[in-house]
Structures are given as structure tokens and as C-alpha cells.
Coordinates of all heavy atoms in Angstrom, one line a residue:
P176 N -74.1 -75.5 8.6 CA -73.8 -74.8 9.8 C -73.0 -73.6 9.5 O -72.3 -73.5 8.6 CB -73.0 -75.8 10.6 CG -72.4 -76.8 9.6 CD -73.4 -76.8 8.5
A177 N -73.1 -72.6 10.5 CA -72.4 -71.4 10.3 C -70.9 -71.6 10.5 O -70.5 -72.5 11.2 CB -72.8 -70.4 11.4
R178 N -70.1 -70.9 9.7 CA -68.7 -71.0 9.8 C -68.1 -70.0 10.7 O -67.6 -68.9 10.2 CB -68.1 -71.0 8.4 CG -68.6 -72.1 7.5 CD -68.3 -71.9 6.0 NE -68.8 -70.7 5.4 CZ -70.1 -70.5 5.1 NH1 -71.0 -71.5 5.3 NH2 -70.5 -69.4 4.6
L179 N -68.1 -70.2 11.9 CA -67.7 -69.2 12.9 C -66.2 -69.4 13.2 O -65.8 -70.5 13.6 CB -68.5 -69.4 14.2 CG -68.5 -68.2 15.2 CD1 -69.0 -67.0 14.5 CD2 -69.4 -68.5 16.3
Q180 N -65.5 -68.3 13.0 CA -64.0 -68.3 13.3 C -63.7 -68.2 14.8 O -64.0 -67.2 15.4 CB -63.4 -67.2 12.5 CG -61.9 -67.0 12.8 CD -61.1 -68.1 12.2 OE1 -61.4 -68.6 11.1 NE2 -60.1 -68.5 12.9
P181 N -63.2 -69.3 15.4 CA -62.8 -69.2 16.8 C -61.6 -68.4 16.9 O -60.6 -68.6 16.2 CB -62.6 -70.6 17.2 CG -62.3 -71.4 16.0 CD -63.0 -70.7 14.8
L182 N -61.6 -67.4 17.7 CA -60.4 -66.5 17.9 C -59.7 -66.9 19.2 O -60.3 -67.3 20.2 CB -60.8 -65.1 18.0 CG -61.4 -64.5 16.7 CD1 -61.7 -63.0 16.9 CD2 -60.4 -64.6 15.5
S183 N -58.4 -66.8 19.1 CA -57.5 -67.1 20.3 C -56.4 -66.0 20.2 O -56.3 -65.2 19.3 CB -56.9 -68.5 20.2 OG -56.0 -68.6 19.1
K184 N -55.5 -66.1 21.2 CA -54.4 -65.2 21.2 C -53.5 -65.4 20.0 O -52.8 -64.5 19.5 CB -53.6 -65.3 22.5 CG -52.9 -66.6 22.7 CD -52.2 -66.6 24.0 CE -51.5 -68.0 24.1 NZ -50.7 -68.1 25.3
D185 N -53.5 -66.6 19.4 CA -52.7 -67.0 18.2 C -53.2 -66.4 16.9 O -52.4 -66.1 16.0 CB -52.6 -68.5 18.1 CG -52.0 -69.1 19.3 OD1 -51.1 -68.5 19.9 OD2 -52.4 -70.2 19.7
N186 N -54.5 -66.2 16.8 CA -55.0 -65.7 15.5 C -55.8 -64.4 15.6 O -56.3 -63.9 14.6 CB -55.8 -66.7 14.8 CG -57.1 -67.1 15.5 OD1 -57.4 -66.6 16.6 ND2 -57.9 -68.0 14.9
F187 N -55.9 -63.8 16.8 CA -56.7 -62.6 17.0 C -56.2 -61.4 16.1 O -57.0 -60.9 15.3 CB -56.7 -62.2 18.4 CG -57.7 -61.1 18.8 CD1 -59.0 -61.5 19.1 CD2 -57.4 -59.8 18.8 CE1 -60.0 -60.5 19.5 CE2 -58.3 -58.8 19.1 CZ -59.6 -59.2 19.4
D188 N -55.0 -61.1 16.3 CA -54.4 -59.9 15.5 C -54.4 -60.1 14.0 O -54.8 -59.2 13.2 CB -53.0 -59.6 16.0 CG -52.9 -59.0 17.4 OD1 -53.9 -58.5 17.8 OD2 -51.9 -59.2 18.0
A189 N -54.1 -61.4 13.6 CA -54.1 -61.7 12.1 C -55.5 -61.5 11.5 O -55.7 -61.0 10.4 CB -53.6 -63.1 11.9
T190 N -56.5 -62.0 12.3 CA -57.9 -61.9 11.8 C -58.3 -60.4 11.7 O -58.9 -60.0 10.7 CB -58.9 -62.7 12.8 OG1 -58.5 -64.0 12.8 CG2 -60.3 -62.6 12.3
L191 N -58.0 -59.6 12.7 CA -58.4 -58.2 12.7 C -57.6 -57.5 11.5 O -58.2 -56.6 10.9 CB -58.1 -57.5 14.0 CG -58.9 -58.0 15.2 CD1 -58.5 -57.2 16.4 CD2 -60.4 -57.9 14.9
A192 N -56.4 -57.9 11.2 CA -55.7 -57.3 10.1 C -56.2 -57.7 8.8 O -56.2 -56.9 7.8 CB -54.2 -57.7 10.2
R193 N -56.8 -58.9 8.7 CA -57.2 -59.4 7.4 C -58.6 -58.8 6.9 O -58.8 -58.6 5.7 CB -57.4 -60.9 7.5 CG -57.8 -61.6 6.2 CD -57.8 -63.1 6.2 NE -58.3 -63.6 5.0 CZ -58.5 -64.8 4.7 NH1 -58.2 -65.7 5.6 NH2 -58.9 -65.2 3.6
Y194 N -59.5 -58.6 7.8 CA -60.8 -58.1 7.5 C -61.0 -56.7 8.0 O -60.7 -56.4 9.1 CB -61.9 -59.1 8.1 CG -61.8 -60.5 7.7 CD1 -61.1 -61.4 8.5 CD2 -62.2 -60.9 6.4 CE1 -61.0 -62.7 8.0 CE2 -62.1 -62.2 6.0 CZ -61.5 -63.1 6.8 OH -61.4 -64.4 6.4
P195 N -61.6 -55.9 7.2 CA -61.9 -54.5 7.6 C -63.0 -54.5 8.7 O -63.0 -53.5 9.5 CB -62.3 -53.7 6.4 CG -62.6 -54.8 5.3 CD -61.9 -56.0 5.8
I196 N -63.9 -55.4 8.7 CA -65.0 -55.5 9.7 C -64.9 -56.9 10.3 O -65.1 -57.9 9.6 CB -66.3 -55.3 9.1 CG1 -66.4 -53.9 8.4 CG2 -67.4 -55.4 10.1 CD1 -67.7 -53.7 7.6
V197 N -64.8 -56.9 11.6 CA -64.8 -58.2 12.4 C -65.8 -57.9 13.6 O -65.6 -57.0 14.4 CB -63.4 -58.6 12.9 CG1 -63.6 -59.9 13.7 CG2 -62.4 -58.8 11.8
V198 N -66.8 -58.7 13.6 CA -67.8 -58.6 14.7 C -67.6 -59.8 15.6 O -67.6 -60.9 15.2 CB -69.3 -58.7 14.1 CG1 -70.3 -58.5 15.2 CG2 -69.5 -57.6 13.1
I199 N -67.3 -59.5 16.9 CA -66.8 -60.5 17.8 C -67.8 -60.7 18.9 O -68.2 -59.7 19.6 CB -65.4 -60.2 18.4 CG1 -64.4 -60.0 17.3 CG2 -65.0 -61.3 19.4 CD1 -63.1 -59.5 17.7
N200 N -68.2 -61.9 19.2 CA -69.0 -62.3 20.3 C -68.1 -62.8 21.4 O -67.5 -63.9 21.3 CB -70.0 -63.4 19.9 CG -70.8 -63.9 21.1 OD1 -70.8 -63.3 22.1 ND2 -71.6 -64.9 20.8
F201 N -67.9 -62.0 22.5 CA -67.1 -62.5 23.7 C -68.1 -63.2 24.5 O -69.1 -62.6 25.0 CB -66.5 -61.3 24.4 CG -65.4 -60.6 23.6 CD1 -65.7 -59.6 22.7 CD2 -64.1 -61.0 23.7 CE1 -64.7 -59.0 22.0 CE2 -63.1 -60.5 23.0 CZ -63.4 -59.4 22.1
F202 N -68.0 -64.5 24.7 CA -69.0 -65.3 25.4 C -68.4 -66.2 26.5 O -67.2 -66.5 26.4 CB -69.7 -66.2 24.4 CG -69.0 -67.4 24.0 CD1 -69.2 -68.6 24.5 CD2 -68.0 -67.3 23.0 CE1 -68.5 -69.8 24.2 CE2 -67.2 -68.4 22.6 CZ -67.5 -69.7 23.2
A203 N -69.2 -66.6 27.4 CA -68.8 -67.5 28.4 C -69.9 -68.6 28.4 O -71.1 -68.4 28.4 CB -68.8 -66.9 29.8
P204 N -69.5 -69.9 28.2 CA -70.5 -71.0 28.0 C -71.4 -71.2 29.2 O -72.5 -71.6 29.0 CB -69.6 -72.2 27.9 CG -68.2 -71.8 27.9 CD -68.1 -70.3 28.2
W205 N -71.0 -70.7 30.4 CA -71.9 -70.8 31.6 C -72.9 -69.7 31.7 O -73.8 -69.8 32.5 CB -71.0 -70.9 32.8 CG -70.0 -69.8 32.9 CD1 -68.7 -69.9 32.5 CD2 -70.2 -68.5 33.3 NE1 -68.1 -68.7 32.7 CE2 -69.0 -67.8 33.2 CE3 -71.3 -67.8 33.8 CZ2 -68.8 -66.4 33.5 CZ3 -71.1 -66.4 34.2 CH2 -69.9 -65.8 34.0
C206 N -72.7 -68.7 30.9 CA -73.5 -67.4 31.0 C -74.9 -67.7 30.4 O -75.0 -68.0 29.2 CB -72.8 -66.3 30.3 SG -73.8 -64.8 30.2
H207 N -76.0 -67.4 31.2 CA -77.3 -67.6 30.7 C -77.6 -66.7 29.5 O -78.2 -67.1 28.5 CB -78.3 -67.3 31.8 CG -79.7 -67.2 31.4 ND1 -80.5 -68.3 31.1 CD2 -80.5 -66.1 31.2 CE1 -81.7 -67.9 30.7 NE2 -81.7 -66.6 30.8
W208 N -77.1 -65.4 29.5 CA -77.4 -64.5 28.4 C -76.6 -64.9 27.2 O -77.2 -64.8 26.0 CB -77.1 -63.1 28.8 CG -78.0 -62.7 30.0 CD1 -77.6 -62.5 31.3 CD2 -79.4 -62.5 29.9 NE1 -78.7 -62.2 32.1 CE2 -79.8 -62.2 31.3 CE3 -80.4 -62.6 28.9 CZ2 -81.2 -62.0 31.6 CZ3 -81.7 -62.3 29.3 CH2 -82.1 -62.0 30.6
C209 N -75.5 -65.4 27.3 CA -74.7 -65.9 26.2 C -75.4 -67.1 25.5 O -75.4 -67.2 24.3 CB -73.3 -66.3 26.6 SG -72.3 -64.9 27.2
Q210 N -75.9 -68.0 26.4 CA -76.7 -69.2 25.9 C -77.9 -68.7 25.1 O -78.2 -69.3 24.1 CB -77.0 -70.1 27.0 CG -75.9 -70.7 27.7 CD -76.2 -71.4 29.0 OE1 -77.4 -71.6 29.3 NE2 -75.2 -71.9 29.7
R211 N -78.6 -67.7 25.6 CA -79.8 -67.2 24.9 C -79.4 -66.5 23.6 O -80.2 -66.6 22.6 CB -80.5 -66.2 25.8 CG -81.2 -66.9 27.0 CD -82.1 -66.0 27.7 NE -83.2 -65.6 26.9 CZ -84.1 -64.7 27.3 NH1 -84.1 -64.1 28.4 NH2 -85.1 -64.3 26.4
L212 N -78.3 -65.9 23.5 CA -77.9 -65.2 22.3 C -77.4 -66.2 21.2 O -77.5 -65.9 20.0 CB -76.7 -64.2 22.6 CG -76.1 -63.5 21.4 CD1 -77.1 -62.6 20.7 CD2 -74.9 -62.7 21.9
E213 N -76.9 -67.3 21.6 CA -76.2 -68.2 20.7 C -77.0 -68.6 19.4 O -76.5 -68.4 18.3 CB -75.8 -69.5 21.4 CG -75.0 -70.4 20.5 CD -74.4 -71.6 21.2 OE1 -74.7 -71.8 22.4 OE2 -73.7 -72.4 20.5
P214 N -78.3 -68.9 19.5 CA -79.0 -69.3 18.2 C -79.1 -68.1 17.3 O -78.9 -68.2 16.1 CB -80.4 -69.7 18.7 CG -80.2 -70.0 20.1 CD -79.1 -69.2 20.7
T215 N -79.3 -66.9 17.8 CA -79.4 -65.7 17.0 C -78.0 -65.4 16.4 O -77.9 -65.0 15.2 CB -79.9 -64.5 17.9 OG1 -81.2 -64.9 18.4 CG2 -80.0 -63.2 17.0
W216 N -77.0 -65.5 17.2 CA -75.6 -65.2 16.8 C -75.3 -66.2 15.6 O -74.7 -65.8 14.6 CB -74.6 -65.4 17.9 CG -73.2 -65.1 17.5 CD1 -72.3 -66.0 17.2 CD2 -72.6 -63.8 17.3 NE1 -71.1 -65.4 16.8 CE2 -71.3 -64.0 16.9 CE3 -73.1 -62.5 17.5 CZ2 -70.4 -63.0 16.7 CZ3 -72.2 -61.5 17.3 CH2 -70.9 -61.7 16.8
E217 N -75.6 -67.5 15.8 CA -75.3 -68.4 14.8 C -76.0 -68.2 13.5 O -75.5 -68.3 12.4 CB -75.6 -69.9 15.3 CG -74.7 -70.3 16.4 CD -73.2 -70.5 16.1 OE1 -72.9 -70.8 14.9 OE2 -72.4 -70.3 16.9
A218 N -77.3 -67.8 13.6 CA -78.1 -67.5 12.4 C -77.5 -66.2 11.7 O -77.4 -66.2 10.5 CB -79.5 -67.3 12.8
A219 N -77.2 -65.2 12.4 CA -76.6 -64.0 11.8 C -75.3 -64.3 11.2 O -75.0 -63.8 10.1 CB -76.4 -62.9 12.9
T220 N -74.5 -65.1 11.8 CA -73.2 -65.5 11.3 C -73.4 -66.3 9.9 O -72.7 -66.0 8.9 CB -72.4 -66.4 12.3 OG1 -72.2 -65.7 13.4 CG2 -71.1 -66.9 11.7
K221 N -74.3 -67.2 9.9 CA -74.5 -67.9 8.7 C -75.0 -67.0 7.6 O -74.5 -67.1 6.4 CB -75.6 -69.0 8.9 CG -75.8 -69.9 7.6 CD -76.8 -71.0 7.9 CE -77.1 -71.8 6.7 NZ -76.7 -71.4 5.4
E222 N -75.9 -66.1 7.9 CA -76.4 -65.2 6.9 C -75.3 -64.3 6.3 O -75.2 -64.1 5.1 CB -77.5 -64.4 7.5 CG -78.2 -63.5 6.4 CD -79.5 -62.8 7.0 OE1 -80.1 -63.4 7.9 OE2 -79.8 -61.7 6.5
I223 N -74.5 -63.7 7.2 CA -73.4 -62.8 6.7 C -72.4 -63.6 5.9 O -71.9 -63.2 4.9 CB -72.8 -62.1 7.9 CG1 -73.8 -61.1 8.4 CG2 -71.5 -61.4 7.5 CD1 -74.2 -60.0 7.5
H224 N -72.0 -64.8 6.5 CA -70.9 -65.6 5.8 C -71.4 -66.2 4.5 O -70.6 -66.3 3.6 CB -70.4 -66.6 6.8 CG -69.5 -66.1 7.9 ND1 -68.8 -66.9 8.7 CD2 -69.3 -64.8 8.3 CE1 -68.2 -66.1 9.6 NE2 -68.5 -64.8 9.3
D225 N -72.7 -66.4 4.4 CA -73.2 -66.9 3.1 C -73.2 -65.7 2.1 O -72.9 -65.9 0.9 CB -74.6 -67.5 3.2 CG -74.6 -68.8 3.9 OD1 -73.6 -69.4 4.0 OD2 -75.7 -69.3 4.2
K226 N -73.5 -64.5 2.5 CA -73.6 -63.4 1.6 C -72.2 -62.9 1.3 O -71.9 -62.5 0.1 CB -74.4 -62.3 2.3 CG -74.6 -61.1 1.4 CD -75.5 -60.1 2.0 CE -75.8 -58.9 1.1 NZ -76.7 -58.0 1.6
Y227 N -71.3 -62.9 2.2 CA -69.9 -62.5 2.0 C -68.9 -63.6 2.4 O -68.4 -63.7 3.5 CB -69.6 -61.2 2.9 CG -70.5 -60.1 2.7 CD1 -71.6 -59.8 3.5 CD2 -70.4 -59.3 1.5 CE1 -72.4 -58.8 3.3 CE2 -71.3 -58.2 1.3 CZ -72.3 -58.0 2.2 OH -73.1 -56.9 2.0
P228 N -68.7 -64.5 1.4 CA -67.8 -65.6 1.7 C -66.4 -65.2 2.2 O -66.0 -64.0 1.9 CB -67.7 -66.4 0.4 CG -68.8 -65.9 -0.4 CD -69.1 -64.5 0.1
E229 N -65.7 -66.1 2.8 CA -64.3 -65.7 3.3 C -63.4 -65.1 2.3 O -62.7 -64.2 2.5 CB -63.7 -67.0 3.9 CG -62.4 -66.6 4.6 CD -61.9 -67.8 5.4 OE1 -62.5 -68.9 5.5 OE2 -60.8 -67.7 6.0
Y230 N -63.5 -65.6 1.1 CA -62.6 -65.1 0.0 C -62.9 -63.7 -0.4 O -62.1 -63.0 -1.0 CB -62.6 -66.0 -1.2 CG -63.9 -66.1 -1.9 CD1 -64.4 -65.2 -2.8 CD2 -64.7 -67.3 -1.7 CE1 -65.6 -65.3 -3.4 CE2 -66.0 -67.4 -2.3 CZ -66.4 -66.4 -3.2 OH -67.6 -66.5 -3.7
D231 N -64.1 -63.2 0.0 CA -64.6 -61.9 -0.3 C -63.7 -60.9 0.5 O -63.4 -59.8 0.0 CB -66.1 -61.7 0.0 CG -66.6 -60.3 -0.3 OD1 -66.5 -59.9 -1.5 OD2 -67.0 -59.7 0.6
G232 N -63.4 -61.3 1.7 CA -62.5 -60.5 2.5 C -63.1 -59.2 3.2 O -62.4 -58.4 3.6
R233 N -64.4 -59.1 3.2 CA -65.0 -57.9 3.7 C -65.4 -57.9 5.2 O -65.2 -57.0 5.9 CB -66.4 -57.6 3.0 CG -66.2 -57.2 1.6 CD -67.6 -56.7 1.1 NE -67.7 -57.1 -0.3 CZ -68.7 -56.7 -1.1 NH1 -69.7 -56.0 -0.5 NH2 -68.8 -57.1 -2.3
I234 N -65.9 -59.1 5.6 CA -66.5 -59.1 7.0 C -66.4 -60.6 7.5 O -66.5 -61.5 6.8 CB -67.9 -58.6 7.1 CG1 -68.4 -58.6 8.5 CG2 -68.8 -59.4 6.2 CD1 -69.8 -57.9 8.7
R235 N -66.1 -60.7 8.8 CA -66.1 -62.0 9.5 C -66.8 -61.8 10.8 O -66.7 -60.8 11.5 CB -64.7 -62.5 9.7 CG -64.0 -63.1 8.6 CD -64.5 -64.4 8.1 NE -65.6 -64.3 7.1 CZ -66.2 -65.3 6.6 NH1 -66.0 -66.5 6.9 NH2 -67.2 -65.1 5.7
F236 N -67.6 -62.8 11.2 CA -68.1 -62.9 12.6 C -67.2 -63.9 13.3 O -66.7 -64.9 12.7 CB -69.5 -63.5 12.5 CG -70.6 -62.4 12.4 CD1 -70.3 -61.3 11.5 CD2 -71.8 -62.5 13.0 CE1 -71.3 -60.3 11.3 CE2 -72.7 -61.5 12.8 CZ -72.5 -60.5 12.0
A237 N -66.9 -63.7 14.5 CA -66.0 -64.6 15.3 C -66.5 -64.6 16.7 O -67.3 -63.9 17.2 CB -64.6 -64.0 15.2
K238 N -65.9 -65.6 17.5 CA -66.3 -65.8 18.9 C -65.0 -65.9 19.7 O -64.0 -66.4 19.2 CB -67.0 -67.1 19.1 CG -68.5 -67.0 18.6 CD -69.1 -68.4 18.7 CE -69.6 -68.7 20.1 NZ -70.5 -69.9 20.1
V239 N -65.0 -65.3 20.9 CA -63.9 -65.5 21.8 C -64.5 -66.0 23.2 O -65.4 -65.3 23.7 CB -63.2 -64.1 22.1 CG1 -62.2 -64.3 23.2 CG2 -62.5 -63.6 20.8
R240 N -64.0 -67.1 23.6 CA -64.5 -67.7 24.9 C -63.7 -66.9 26.0 O -62.5 -66.9 25.9 CB -64.2 -69.2 24.9 CG -64.7 -69.8 26.2 CD -64.5 -71.2 26.2 NE -64.9 -71.7 27.5 CZ -65.1 -73.0 27.8 NH1 -65.0 -73.9 26.9 NH2 -65.4 -73.4 29.0
V241 N -64.4 -66.4 26.9 CA -63.8 -65.7 28.0 C -63.8 -66.5 29.3 O -64.3 -67.6 29.3 CB -64.5 -64.3 28.3 CG1 -64.3 -63.4 27.1 CG2 -65.9 -64.5 28.6
G242 N -63.2 -66.0 30.3 CA -62.9 -66.7 31.6 C -64.0 -67.4 32.3 O -65.2 -67.4 31.9
L243 N -63.6 -68.1 33.3 CA -64.5 -68.9 34.1 C -65.3 -68.0 35.1 O -64.8 -67.0 35.4 CB -63.7 -70.0 34.9 CG -63.0 -71.0 34.0 CD1 -62.1 -71.9 34.9 CD2 -64.0 -71.9 33.2
P244 N -66.4 -68.5 35.5 CA -67.1 -67.7 36.6 C -66.3 -67.7 37.9 O -65.4 -68.6 38.1 CB -68.4 -68.5 36.8 CG -68.1 -69.8 36.3 CD -67.1 -69.7 35.2
R245 N -66.5 -66.7 38.7 CA -65.7 -66.5 39.9 C -65.8 -67.7 40.8 O -64.9 -68.0 41.6 CB -66.1 -65.3 40.6 CG -65.8 -64.0 39.9 CD -66.2 -62.8 40.8 NE -65.9 -61.6 40.0 CZ -66.3 -60.4 40.3 NH1 -67.0 -60.3 41.4 NH2 -65.9 -59.4 39.6
Y246 N -67.0 -68.3 40.8 CA -67.2 -69.4 41.8 C -66.6 -70.8 41.3 O -66.7 -71.8 42.0 CB -68.7 -69.6 42.1 CG -69.5 -69.7 40.9 CD1 -69.7 -71.0 40.2 CD2 -70.2 -68.6 40.3 CE1 -70.5 -71.1 39.1 CE2 -71.0 -68.8 39.2 CZ -71.1 -70.0 38.6 OH -71.9 -70.1 37.5
A247 N -66.1 -70.8 40.1 CA -65.5 -72.1 39.5 C -64.1 -72.3 40.0 O -63.4 -71.5 40.4 CB -65.6 -72.0 38.0

């Protein structure tokens, strides 16, 4: 499985400081478009993280879960 770094307020700044390139998916689990993107995002994450392991320090893919829908 892809090793996706979950970001939160606790590790966001440290992650951005550690890697020169951080590609972040801001997603909402209830969002139809986020759900459609997920398989592609996971595949891209796996490919990049396999090519550039964490110890390489060049690039990380990450996810940030965003707020609830207005009607929730």
C-alpha cells in the first residue's frame, strides 16, 4: 500500500520544512470528486514514494482531511 503521510496541525509545518516538495491532497471523505480522485492519488503516491523513499528527503505526498459538509 502507498505510504501516505497524514497531515495535521501537529505535523504540517515540520513536514513542509523537511521536504523541498510536498504535494498535498486536501480532501473531504463525503466529496464525490475526492472519492473519484482517491485511487489515482494512491497510485501516484505509491509510485513517487517507491521511487523516492522517505530517507531520500526529496518529495512527499500527503493528505489533509478538511471540514464537514454544511448540511452535516
Side-chain angles (χ1 to χ4, degrees):
R178 296 168 302 282
L179 196 58
Q180 175 69 39
L182 293 181
S183 68
K184 65 181 180 176
D185 298 326
N186 66 356
F187 191 89
D188 291 334
T190 300
L191 294 182
R193 181 174 179 185
Y194 300 100
I196 301 170
V197 180
V198 183
I199 303 172
N200 176 10
F201 291 90
F202 78 100
W205 50 264
C206 172
H207 170 73
W208 298 108
C209 296
Q210 292 168 10
R211 289 188 64 185
L212 174 63
E213 186 174 5
T215 303
W216 181 264
E217 295 294 329
T220 298
K221 181 176 181 348
E222 187 170 331
I223 291 297
H224 288 187
D225 286 349
K226 185 172 182 177
Y227 303 102
E229 187 170 357
Y230 62 80
D231 181 63
R233 291 189 215 184
I234 185 170
R235 284 286 92 180
F236 275 36
K238 288 172 81 171
V239 173
R240 182 177 175 165
V241 296
L243 297 172
R245 291 183 183 169
Y246 54 83

